Amino acid sequence: MNKRYAVILAAGKGTRMKSELYKVLHPVCGKPMVEHVVDQVSQTGAESIVTVTGHGAEMVKEHLGSRSSYVLQEKQLGTGHAVMQAEELLGDKEGVTIVLCGDTPLISSETMEALFTHHQETGAKATVLTAGAEDPSGYGRVVREQETGNVLRVVEQKDASEAELAIGEINTGTYCFDNETLFRVLKQVGNDNSQGEYYLPDVIGILKDEGETVSAWKTPDFSETIGVNDRVALAEAEQTMKRRINTYWMRQGVTFIDDAQTYISADAVIGSDTVLYPGTILNGNVTIGSKCKIGPHTEISDSVVGSETVIRHSVVSESEVGSSVNIGPFAHIRPASVLADEVKVGNFVEVKKASFGKGSKASHLSYIGDAEIGSDVNLGCGSITVNYDGKQKYLTKVKDGAFVGCNANLIAPVTIGENAVVAAGSTITEDVPSQSLSIARSRQTNKENYIK
Ligand code: UD1
Ligand code: CA
């Protein structure tokens, strides 16, 4: 097999997005468009992936990191000019180069693979990935020879004649090139067109005129090839990607009660026999085990959840949740929390930067922040860790088997010993030794016959 290289075009500002965020960084299902493209192309075994950056170069690099190398296109003089910037890294390589746009987030590695195969089989110097569009407006059109059906060239919408505008086959902006030929021919591409830009697709026409073999691979799935230039296309891409992700997880054995109302990030992983109820949103890197019940109306971000866990009407962020845990309704698990197996965090409980050992419970109306809770601890209704004095945060420790009565304030730093009991309504300011009872409230006095 020929060696493979990839060039991703990501230098444009994306004026039509009307956004402060650079176009290729707009997320689709939670992941920047350009990242989708890089993730898919890296599955095709490309030796090196070169991303052409310009607007927002630093931010693009931050997102892609070491998955790509980079060249800078200082002025955005067109897609052909953009690819030319990769010459310093790829110019002398032998092999096949796939060129992709950072704004076509849905093109799958399977389609890229089919393009590579077609390119190789036809022995072409250049192969363009095309699609049949119901509404081709905005895309370059693929002009073929009438008798043979062979590709002649690609014409941009703004340069097309009436007859060419009627062509329904579009250029998806993805191509395979013989690498050396690509950089040789790019030098011949001019900018004498309606936009005054160096067009990459002109390479096709030039090669054809030279008598070289050029070819086209028409994908049957137009929905994959959408180029996102504005927010309307962005919403469409989001819908298509969402359907793709949800369908994938259904095939892996995940139940969706209402697929249309369930939002799964491209990087989420879900175990089989888990049921997702309407309004479930999984953001970023989320891993959910098997046989869980998630939702309704639950948002989980960058967290790991074990198996057979139930999370209803709740928010979980940057935390670890074990197996057979019961969260909610209306609980908030804030970053850096760790809930071991069989923990219960019930309604109106907020947990922040706190660990709960196995089987511990905070069932109702509590704030547990900056705390280490042992195993089999019961935090009664309204237990509060008083962790903040207005300047600093302090740690509360509650050791294994302790029982904290209702409405207790644990003023940190403080430790409740093993199996200790804190009486309801206590405000605890000093450590409680293990195995003991602590009562910290004023005695009740009854004044008999007071009303008389
Ligand atoms: C391009 C194609 C068009 C095709 C469509 C598919 C050209 C001339 N036209 O049009 O035939 O149907 O994609 O979606 O190639 N970019 C740079 N540097 C530049 C210009 C663009 O890096 O100087 C990048 C952009 O960031 C973007 C990609 O190249 O990711 C495509 O550019 P864009 O301006 O969106 O091209 P289209 O008009 O959509
Ligand atoms: Ca585009």
Side-chain angles (χ1 to χ4, degrees), residues 246-281:
N246 289 4
T247 306
Y248 173 83
W249 289 114
M250 287 176 210
R251 295 205 198 287
Q252 302 302 309
V254 177
T255 296
F256 287 68
I257 300 298
D258 185 352
D259 156 39
Q261 300 294 327
T262 308
Y263 305 85
I264 311 297
S265 104
D267 295 321
V269 177
I270 312 166
S272 64
D273 286 324
T274 282
V275 181
L276 304 178
Y277 288 85
T280 294
I281 303 172

PDB file of all heavy atoms in Angstrom, residues 246-281:
ATOM      1  N   ASN A 246     -26.372   8.407  18.231  1.00  0.00           N
ATOM      2  CA  ASN A 246     -27.435   7.677  18.940  1.00  0.00           C
ATOM      3  C   ASN A 246     -27.671   6.304  18.316  1.00  0.00           C
ATOM      4  O   ASN A 246     -27.814   5.304  19.025  1.00  0.00           O
ATOM      5  CB  ASN A 246     -28.733   8.497  18.957  1.00  0.00           C
ATOM      6  CG  ASN A 246     -28.618   9.714  19.881  1.00  0.00           C
ATOM      7  OD1 ASN A 246     -27.562   9.978  20.447  1.00  0.00           O
ATOM      8  ND2 ASN A 246     -29.691  10.464  20.015  1.00  0.00           N
ATOM      9  N   THR A 247     -27.691   6.260  16.987  1.00  0.00           N
ATOM     10  CA  THR A 247     -27.907   4.980  16.310  1.00  0.00           C
ATOM     11  C   THR A 247     -26.782   4.003  16.658  1.00  0.00           C
ATOM     12  O   THR A 247     -27.018   2.818  16.915  1.00  0.00           O
ATOM     13  CB  THR A 247     -27.966   5.190  14.782  1.00  0.00           C
ATOM     14  OG1 THR A 247     -28.949   6.172  14.514  1.00  0.00           O
ATOM     15  CG2 THR A 247     -28.319   3.910  14.046  1.00  0.00           C
ATOM     16  N   TYR A 248     -25.569   4.519  16.684  1.00  0.00           N
ATOM     17  CA  TYR A 248     -24.427   3.668  17.026  1.00  0.00           C
ATOM     18  C   TYR A 248     -24.641   3.028  18.402  1.00  0.00           C
ATOM     19  O   TYR A 248     -24.491   1.814  18.568  1.00  0.00           O
ATOM     20  CB  TYR A 248     -23.125   4.484  17.017  1.00  0.00           C
ATOM     21  CG  TYR A 248     -21.937   3.695  17.518  1.00  0.00           C
ATOM     22  CD1 TYR A 248     -21.247   2.832  16.666  1.00  0.00           C
ATOM     23  CD2 TYR A 248     -21.537   3.770  18.854  1.00  0.00           C
ATOM     24  CE1 TYR A 248     -20.179   2.077  17.132  1.00  0.00           C
ATOM     25  CE2 TYR A 248     -20.471   3.023  19.322  1.00  0.00           C
ATOM     26  CZ  TYR A 248     -19.792   2.182  18.458  1.00  0.00           C
ATOM     27  OH  TYR A 248     -18.753   1.435  18.923  1.00  0.00           O
ATOM     28  N   TRP A 249     -25.029   3.830  19.395  1.00  0.00           N
ATOM     29  CA  TRP A 249     -25.176   3.282  20.759  1.00  0.00           C
ATOM     30  C   TRP A 249     -26.379   2.364  20.868  1.00  0.00           C
ATOM     31  O   TRP A 249     -26.358   1.404  21.640  1.00  0.00           O
ATOM     32  CB  TRP A 249     -25.191   4.408  21.806  1.00  0.00           C
ATOM     33  CG  TRP A 249     -23.821   4.996  21.929  1.00  0.00           C
ATOM     34  CD1 TRP A 249     -23.437   6.264  21.582  1.00  0.00           C
ATOM     35  CD2 TRP A 249     -22.628   4.319  22.358  1.00  0.00           C
ATOM     36  NE1 TRP A 249     -22.082   6.426  21.773  1.00  0.00           N
ATOM     37  CE2 TRP A 249     -21.565   5.246  22.250  1.00  0.00           C
ATOM     38  CE3 TRP A 249     -22.349   3.034  22.813  1.00  0.00           C
ATOM     39  CZ2 TRP A 249     -20.249   4.922  22.585  1.00  0.00           C
ATOM     40  CZ3 TRP A 249     -21.039   2.703  23.149  1.00  0.00           C
ATOM     41  CH2 TRP A 249     -20.009   3.636  23.031  1.00  0.00           C
ATOM     42  N   MET A 250     -27.427   2.627  20.086  1.00  0.00           N
ATOM     43  CA  MET A 250     -28.562   1.682  20.071  1.00  0.00           C
ATOM     44  C   MET A 250     -28.078   0.321  19.589  1.00  0.00           C
ATOM     45  O   MET A 250     -28.418  -0.710  20.156  1.00  0.00           O
ATOM     46  CB  MET A 250     -29.659   2.192  19.133  1.00  0.00           C
ATOM     47  CG  MET A 250     -30.417   3.383  19.681  1.00  0.00           C
ATOM     48  SD  MET A 250     -31.595   3.960  18.439  1.00  0.00           S
ATOM     49  CE  MET A 250     -31.646   5.686  18.855  1.00  0.00           C
ATOM     50  N   ARG A 251     -27.241   0.346  18.569  1.00  0.00           N
ATOM     51  CA  ARG A 251     -26.718  -0.924  18.035  1.00  0.00           C
ATOM     52  C   ARG A 251     -25.793  -1.616  19.033  1.00  0.00           C
ATOM     53  O   ARG A 251     -25.563  -2.816  18.956  1.00  0.00           O
ATOM     54  CB  ARG A 251     -25.998  -0.695  16.709  1.00  0.00           C
ATOM     55  CG  ARG A 251     -26.927  -0.217  15.603  1.00  0.00           C
ATOM     56  CD  ARG A 251     -26.416  -0.555  14.215  1.00  0.00           C
ATOM     57  NE  ARG A 251     -27.060   0.244  13.175  1.00  0.00           N
ATOM     58  CZ  ARG A 251     -28.316   0.076  12.773  1.00  0.00           C
ATOM     59  NH1 ARG A 251     -29.039  -0.877  13.292  1.00  0.00           N
ATOM     60  NH2 ARG A 251     -28.818   0.873  11.840  1.00  0.00           N
ATOM     61  N   GLN A 252     -25.252  -0.843  19.981  1.00  0.00           N
ATOM     62  CA  GLN A 252     -24.399  -1.437  21.019  1.00  0.00           C
ATOM     63  C   GLN A 252     -25.216  -1.888  22.229  1.00  0.00           C
ATOM     64  O   GLN A 252     -24.645  -2.274  23.241  1.00  0.00           O
ATOM     65  CB  GLN A 252     -23.337  -0.426  21.484  1.00  0.00           C
ATOM     66  CG  GLN A 252     -22.419   0.107  20.400  1.00  0.00           C
ATOM     67  CD  GLN A 252     -21.661  -0.996  19.685  1.00  0.00           C
ATOM     68  OE1 GLN A 252     -21.043  -1.845  20.312  1.00  0.00           O
ATOM     69  NE2 GLN A 252     -21.726  -0.996  18.359  1.00  0.00           N
ATOM     70  N   GLY A 253     -26.531  -1.769  22.150  1.00  0.00           N
ATOM     71  CA  GLY A 253     -27.359  -2.286  23.240  1.00  0.00           C
ATOM     72  C   GLY A 253     -27.813  -1.262  24.257  1.00  0.00           C
ATOM     73  O   GLY A 253     -28.177  -1.623  25.377  1.00  0.00           O
ATOM     74  N   VAL A 254     -27.800   0.005  23.889  1.00  0.00           N
ATOM     75  CA  VAL A 254     -28.267   1.057  24.798  1.00  0.00           C
ATOM     76  C   VAL A 254     -29.702   1.436  24.411  1.00  0.00           C
ATOM     77  O   VAL A 254     -29.994   1.620  23.238  1.00  0.00           O
ATOM     78  CB  VAL A 254     -27.346   2.297  24.706  1.00  0.00           C
ATOM     79  CG1 VAL A 254     -27.859   3.434  25.578  1.00  0.00           C
ATOM     80  CG2 VAL A 254     -25.913   1.921  25.087  1.00  0.00           C
ATOM     81  N   THR A 255     -30.579   1.558  25.405  1.00  0.00           N
ATOM     82  CA  THR A 255     -31.975   1.938  25.129  1.00  0.00           C
ATOM     83  C   THR A 255     -32.134   3.455  25.228  1.00  0.00           C
ATOM     84  O   THR A 255     -31.700   4.063  26.207  1.00  0.00           O
ATOM     85  CB  THR A 255     -32.925   1.270  26.145  1.00  0.00           C
ATOM     86  OG1 THR A 255     -32.850  -0.138  25.958  1.00  0.00           O
ATOM     87  CG2 THR A 255     -34.366   1.726  25.942  1.00  0.00           C
ATOM     88  N   PHE A 256     -32.757   4.016  24.211  1.00  0.00           N
ATOM     89  CA  PHE A 256     -33.100   5.449  24.217  1.00  0.00           C
ATOM     90  C   PHE A 256     -34.620   5.541  24.296  1.00  0.00           C
ATOM     91  O   PHE A 256     -35.302   5.121  23.368  1.00  0.00           O
ATOM     92  CB  PHE A 256     -32.636   6.129  22.925  1.00  0.00           C
ATOM     93  CG  PHE A 256     -31.150   6.329  22.819  1.00  0.00           C
ATOM     94  CD1 PHE A 256     -30.292   5.251  22.687  1.00  0.00           C
ATOM     95  CD2 PHE A 256     -30.606   7.614  22.832  1.00  0.00           C
ATOM     96  CE1 PHE A 256     -28.920   5.433  22.590  1.00  0.00           C
ATOM     97  CE2 PHE A 256     -29.234   7.800  22.733  1.00  0.00           C
ATOM     98  CZ  PHE A 256     -28.384   6.716  22.603  1.00  0.00           C
ATOM     99  N   ILE A 257     -35.142   6.105  25.372  1.00  0.00           N
ATOM    100  CA  ILE A 257     -36.596   6.232  25.488  1.00  0.00           C
ATOM    101  C   ILE A 257     -37.097   7.271  24.481  1.00  0.00           C
ATOM    102  O   ILE A 257     -38.151   7.107  23.880  1.00  0.00           O
ATOM    103  CB  ILE A 257     -37.002   6.627  26.931  1.00  0.00           C
ATOM    104  CG1 ILE A 257     -36.522   5.573  27.919  1.00  0.00           C
ATOM    105  CG2 ILE A 257     -38.509   6.850  27.031  1.00  0.00           C
ATOM    106  CD1 ILE A 257     -37.104   4.189  27.735  1.00  0.00           C
ATOM    107  N   ASP A 258     -36.330   8.351  24.304  1.00  0.00           N
ATOM    108  CA  ASP A 258     -36.696   9.346  23.303  1.00  0.00           C
ATOM    109  C   ASP A 258     -35.414   9.883  22.666  1.00  0.00           C
ATOM    110  O   ASP A 258     -34.791  10.817  23.152  1.00  0.00           O
ATOM    111  CB  ASP A 258     -37.496  10.484  23.954  1.00  0.00           C
ATOM    112  CG  ASP A 258     -37.994  11.478  22.915  1.00  0.00           C
ATOM    113  OD1 ASP A 258     -37.593  11.366  21.734  1.00  0.00           O
ATOM    114  OD2 ASP A 258     -38.773  12.358  23.293  1.00  0.00           O
ATOM    115  N   ASP A 259     -35.088   9.245  21.565  1.00  0.00           N
ATOM    116  CA  ASP A 259     -33.848   9.508  20.845  1.00  0.00           C
ATOM    117  C   ASP A 259     -33.686  11.000  20.489  1.00  0.00           C
ATOM    118  O   ASP A 259     -32.617  11.579  20.606  1.00  0.00           O
ATOM    119  CB  ASP A 259     -33.926   8.568  19.633  1.00  0.00           C
ATOM    120  CG  ASP A 259     -33.134   8.953  18.452  1.00  0.00           C
ATOM    121  OD1 ASP A 259     -32.021   9.440  18.662  1.00  0.00           O
ATOM    122  OD2 ASP A 259     -33.606   8.737  17.333  1.00  0.00           O
ATOM    123  N   ALA A 260     -34.803  11.637  20.133  1.00  0.00           N
ATOM    124  CA  ALA A 260     -34.733  13.041  19.712  1.00  0.00           C
ATOM    125  C   ALA A 260     -34.333  13.960  20.866  1.00  0.00           C
ATOM    126  O   ALA A 260     -33.791  15.039  20.651  1.00  0.00           O
ATOM    127  CB  ALA A 260     -36.078  13.475  19.134  1.00  0.00           C
ATOM    128  N   GLN A 261     -34.586  13.531  22.087  1.00  0.00           N
ATOM    129  CA  GLN A 261     -34.331  14.377  23.259  1.00  0.00           C
ATOM    130  C   GLN A 261     -33.114  13.891  24.055  1.00  0.00           C
ATOM    131  O   GLN A 261     -33.024  14.138  25.255  1.00  0.00           O
ATOM    132  CB  GLN A 261     -35.557  14.363  24.181  1.00  0.00           C
ATOM    133  CG  GLN A 261     -36.822  14.886  23.532  1.00  0.00           C
ATOM    134  CD  GLN A 261     -36.720  16.363  23.210  1.00  0.00           C
ATOM    135  OE1 GLN A 261     -36.068  17.119  23.927  1.00  0.00           O
ATOM    136  NE2 GLN A 261     -37.314  16.773  22.116  1.00  0.00           N
ATOM    137  N   THR A 262     -32.217  13.194  23.410  1.00  0.00           N
ATOM    138  CA  THR A 262     -31.059  12.634  24.108  1.00  0.00           C
ATOM    139  C   THR A 262     -29.800  13.064  23.364  1.00  0.00           C
ATOM    140  O   THR A 262     -29.698  12.862  22.157  1.00  0.00           O
ATOM    141  CB  THR A 262     -31.176  11.095  24.167  1.00  0.00           C
ATOM    142  OG1 THR A 262     -32.458  10.766  24.694  1.00  0.00           O
ATOM    143  CG2 THR A 262     -30.103  10.477  25.032  1.00  0.00           C
ATOM    144  N   TYR A 263     -28.857  13.653  24.084  1.00  0.00           N
ATOM    145  CA  TYR A 263     -27.689  14.280  23.451  1.00  0.00           C
ATOM    146  C   TYR A 263     -26.413  13.636  23.986  1.00  0.00           C
ATOM    147  O   TYR A 263     -26.066  13.804  25.153  1.00  0.00           O
ATOM    148  CB  TYR A 263     -27.697  15.781  23.737  1.00  0.00           C
ATOM    149  CG  TYR A 263     -28.986  16.441  23.302  1.00  0.00           C
ATOM    150  CD1 TYR A 263     -30.091  16.449  24.152  1.00  0.00           C
ATOM    151  CD2 TYR A 263     -29.105  17.003  22.042  1.00  0.00           C
ATOM    152  CE1 TYR A 263     -31.293  17.016  23.742  1.00  0.00           C
ATOM    153  CE2 TYR A 263     -30.295  17.562  21.624  1.00  0.00           C
ATOM    154  CZ  TYR A 263     -31.386  17.567  22.478  1.00  0.00           C
ATOM    155  OH  TYR A 263     -32.572  18.122  22.065  1.00  0.00           O
ATOM    156  N   ILE A 264     -25.724  12.920  23.127  1.00  0.00           N
ATOM    157  CA  ILE A 264     -24.545  12.162  23.537  1.00  0.00           C
ATOM    158  C   ILE A 264     -23.320  12.726  22.829  1.00  0.00           C
ATOM    159  O   ILE A 264     -23.294  12.791  21.600  1.00  0.00           O
ATOM    160  CB  ILE A 264     -24.694  10.679  23.124  1.00  0.00           C
ATOM    161  CG1 ILE A 264     -26.058  10.116  23.536  1.00  0.00           C
ATOM    162  CG2 ILE A 264     -23.562   9.833  23.673  1.00  0.00           C
ATOM    163  CD1 ILE A 264     -26.306  10.095  24.997  1.00  0.00           C
ATOM    164  N   SER A 265     -22.306  13.102  23.589  1.00  0.00           N
ATOM    165  CA  SER A 265     -21.103  13.644  22.952  1.00  0.00           C
ATOM    166  C   SER A 265     -20.415  12.562  22.121  1.00  0.00           C
ATOM    167  O   SER A 265     -20.558  11.364  22.380  1.00  0.00           O
ATOM    168  CB  SER A 265     -20.140  14.189  24.005  1.00  0.00           C
ATOM    169  OG  SER A 265     -19.058  13.311  24.195  1.00  0.00           O
ATOM    170  N   ALA A 266     -19.657  13.031  21.155  1.00  0.00           N
ATOM    171  CA  ALA A 266     -18.961  12.115  20.260  1.00  0.00           C
ATOM    172  C   ALA A 266     -17.945  11.261  21.022  1.00  0.00           C
ATOM    173  O   ALA A 266     -17.552  10.201  20.542  1.00  0.00           O
ATOM    174  CB  ALA A 266     -18.264  12.908  19.160  1.00  0.00           C
ATOM    175  N   ASP A 267     -17.525  11.702  22.199  1.00  0.00           N
ATOM    176  CA  ASP A 267     -16.505  10.979  22.937  1.00  0.00           C
ATOM    177  C   ASP A 267     -17.059  10.166  24.108  1.00  0.00           C
ATOM    178  O   ASP A 267     -16.295   9.655  24.922  1.00  0.00           O
ATOM    179  CB  ASP A 267     -15.433  11.949  23.444  1.00  0.00           C
ATOM    180  CG  ASP A 267     -14.683  12.586  22.285  1.00  0.00           C
ATOM    181  OD1 ASP A 267     -14.411  11.872  21.294  1.00  0.00           O
ATOM    182  OD2 ASP A 267     -14.383  13.787  22.353  1.00  0.00           O
ATOM    183  N   ALA A 268     -18.367  10.049  24.198  1.00  0.00           N
ATOM    184  CA  ALA A 268     -18.952   9.294  25.307  1.00  0.00           C
ATOM    185  C   ALA A 268     -18.911   7.796  25.013  1.00  0.00           C
ATOM    186  O   ALA A 268     -18.879   7.373  23.856  1.00  0.00           O
ATOM    187  CB  ALA A 268     -20.386   9.734  25.546  1.00  0.00           C
ATOM    188  N   VAL A 269     -18.897   7.008  26.085  1.00  0.00           N
ATOM    189  CA  VAL A 269     -18.933   5.546  25.965  1.00  0.00           C
ATOM    190  C   VAL A 269     -20.034   5.049  26.910  1.00  0.00           C
ATOM    191  O   VAL A 269     -20.088   5.466  28.069  1.00  0.00           O
ATOM    192  CB  VAL A 269     -17.575   4.931  26.382  1.00  0.00           C
ATOM    193  CG1 VAL A 269     -17.636   3.410  26.328  1.00  0.00           C
ATOM    194  CG2 VAL A 269     -16.452   5.453  25.502  1.00  0.00           C
ATOM    195  N   ILE A 270     -20.903   4.176  26.417  1.00  0.00           N
ATOM    196  CA  ILE A 270     -22.051   3.737  27.221  1.00  0.00           C
ATOM    197  C   ILE A 270     -22.159   2.217  27.177  1.00  0.00           C
ATOM    198  O   ILE A 270     -22.099   1.611  26.099  1.00  0.00           O
ATOM    199  CB  ILE A 270     -23.367   4.347  26.674  1.00  0.00           C
ATOM    200  CG1 ILE A 270     -23.204   5.850  26.433  1.00  0.00           C
ATOM    201  CG2 ILE A 270     -24.525   4.087  27.631  1.00  0.00           C
ATOM    202  CD1 ILE A 270     -24.310   6.454  25.602  1.00  0.00           C
ATOM    203  N   GLY A 271     -22.336   1.591  28.338  1.00  0.00           N
ATOM    204  CA  GLY A 271     -22.444   0.130  28.414  1.00  0.00           C
ATOM    205  C   GLY A 271     -23.821  -0.367  28.006  1.00  0.00           C
ATOM    206  O   GLY A 271     -24.799   0.391  27.991  1.00  0.00           O
ATOM    207  N   SER A 272     -23.911  -1.649  27.694  1.00  0.00           N
ATOM    208  CA  SER A 272     -25.172  -2.201  27.193  1.00  0.00           C
ATOM    209  C   SER A 272     -26.201  -2.316  28.315  1.00  0.00           C
ATOM    210  O   SER A 272     -25.860  -2.377  29.491  1.00  0.00           O
ATOM    211  CB  SER A 272     -24.942  -3.556  26.542  1.00  0.00           C
ATOM    212  OG  SER A 272     -24.484  -4.445  27.521  1.00  0.00           O
ATOM    213  N   ASP A 273     -27.462  -2.344  27.922  1.00  0.00           N
ATOM    214  CA  ASP A 273     -28.607  -2.400  28.830  1.00  0.00           C
ATOM    215  C   ASP A 273     -28.734  -1.172  29.715  1.00  0.00           C
ATOM    216  O   ASP A 273     -29.500  -1.172  30.678  1.00  0.00           O
ATOM    217  CB  ASP A 273     -28.587  -3.678  29.676  1.00  0.00           C
ATOM    218  CG  ASP A 273     -28.971  -4.887  28.837  1.00  0.00           C
ATOM    219  OD1 ASP A 273     -29.838  -4.740  27.954  1.00  0.00           O
ATOM    220  OD2 ASP A 273     -28.368  -5.963  29.043  1.00  0.00           O
ATOM    221  N   THR A 274     -27.990  -0.153  29.409  1.00  0.00           N
ATOM    222  CA  THR A 274     -28.235   1.136  30.074  1.00  0.00           C
ATOM    223  C   THR A 274     -29.416   1.787  29.370  1.00  0.00           C
ATOM    224  O   THR A 274     -29.565   1.674  28.153  1.00  0.00           O
ATOM    225  CB  THR A 274     -26.965   2.005  30.037  1.00  0.00           C
ATOM    226  OG1 THR A 274     -26.072   1.517  31.049  1.00  0.00           O
ATOM    227  CG2 THR A 274     -27.242   3.476  30.297  1.00  0.00           C
ATOM    228  N   VAL A 275     -30.261   2.439  30.164  1.00  0.00           N
ATOM    229  CA  VAL A 275     -31.446   3.112  29.612  1.00  0.00           C
ATOM    230  C   VAL A 275     -31.264   4.620  29.777  1.00  0.00           C
ATOM    231  O   VAL A 275     -30.965   5.094  30.878  1.00  0.00           O
ATOM    232  CB  VAL A 275     -32.728   2.651  30.334  1.00  0.00           C
ATOM    233  CG1 VAL A 275     -33.955   3.337  29.736  1.00  0.00           C
ATOM    234  CG2 VAL A 275     -32.876   1.132  30.245  1.00  0.00           C
ATOM    235  N   LEU A 276     -31.422   5.343  28.681  1.00  0.00           N
ATOM    236  CA  LEU A 276     -31.304   6.800  28.725  1.00  0.00           C
ATOM    237  C   LEU A 276     -32.701   7.397  28.571  1.00  0.00           C
ATOM    238  O   LEU A 276     -33.376   7.156  27.566  1.00  0.00           O
ATOM    239  CB  LEU A 276     -30.388   7.291  27.602  1.00  0.00           C
ATOM    240  CG  LEU A 276     -28.981   6.692  27.572  1.00  0.00           C
ATOM    241  CD1 LEU A 276     -28.193   7.226  26.385  1.00  0.00           C
ATOM    242  CD2 LEU A 276     -28.220   6.989  28.877  1.00  0.00           C
ATOM    243  N   TYR A 277     -33.120   8.152  29.550  1.00  0.00           N
ATOM    244  CA  TYR A 277     -34.444   8.776  29.528  1.00  0.00           C
ATOM    245  C   TYR A 277     -34.355  10.155  28.873  1.00  0.00           C
ATOM    246  O   TYR A 277     -33.264  10.723  28.760  1.00  0.00           O
ATOM    247  CB  TYR A 277     -34.999   8.868  30.958  1.00  0.00           C
ATOM    248  CG  TYR A 277     -35.394   7.504  31.479  1.00  0.00           C
ATOM    249  CD1 TYR A 277     -34.453   6.665  32.075  1.00  0.00           C
ATOM    250  CD2 TYR A 277     -36.692   7.032  31.314  1.00  0.00           C
ATOM    251  CE1 TYR A 277     -34.795   5.400  32.517  1.00  0.00           C
ATOM    252  CE2 TYR A 277     -37.045   5.762  31.748  1.00  0.00           C
ATOM    253  CZ  TYR A 277     -36.099   4.953  32.341  1.00  0.00           C
ATOM    254  OH  TYR A 277     -36.451   3.692  32.757  1.00  0.00           O
ATOM    255  N   PRO A 278     -35.486  10.698  28.456  1.00  0.00           N
ATOM    256  CA  PRO A 278     -35.472  11.985  27.740  1.00  0.00           C
ATOM    257  C   PRO A 278     -34.774  13.082  28.539  1.00  0.00           C
ATOM    258  O   PRO A 278     -34.874  13.125  29.760  1.00  0.00           O
ATOM    259  CB  PRO A 278     -36.960  12.308  27.572  1.00  0.00           C
ATOM    260  CG  PRO A 278     -37.648  11.004  27.657  1.00  0.00           C
ATOM    261  CD  PRO A 278     -36.826  10.134  28.551  1.00  0.00           C
ATOM    262  N   GLY A 279     -34.101  13.943  27.807  1.00  0.00           N
ATOM    263  CA  GLY A 279     -33.423  15.063  28.447  1.00  0.00           C
ATOM    264  C   GLY A 279     -32.064  14.692  29.012  1.00  0.00           C
ATOM    265  O   GLY A 279     -31.484  15.448  29.774  1.00  0.00           O
ATOM    266  N   THR A 280     -31.551  13.540  28.640  1.00  0.00           N
ATOM    267  CA  THR A 280     -30.202  13.169  29.074  1.00  0.00           C
ATOM    268  C   THR A 280     -29.185  13.838  28.156  1.00  0.00           C
ATOM    269  O   THR A 280     -29.308  13.789  26.936  1.00  0.00           O
ATOM    270  CB  THR A 280     -30.027  11.638  29.038  1.00  0.00           C
ATOM    271  OG1 THR A 280     -30.878  11.065  30.019  1.00  0.00           O
ATOM    272  CG2 THR A 280     -28.582  11.230  29.312  1.00  0.00           C
ATOM    273  N   ILE A 281     -28.188  14.475  28.778  1.00  0.00           N
ATOM    274  CA  ILE A 281     -27.130  15.146  28.024  1.00  0.00           C
ATOM    275  C   ILE A 281     -25.795  14.639  28.555  1.00  0.00           C
ATOM    276  O   ILE A 281     -25.509  14.774  29.748  1.00  0.00           O
ATOM    277  CB  ILE A 281     -27.216  16.679  28.207  1.00  0.00           C
ATOM    278  CG1 ILE A 281     -28.602  17.192  27.781  1.00  0.00           C
ATOM    279  CG2 ILE A 281     -26.103  17.372  27.432  1.00  0.00           C
ATOM    280  CD1 ILE A 281     -28.835  18.660  28.102  1.00  0.00           C
TER     281      ILE A 281
END
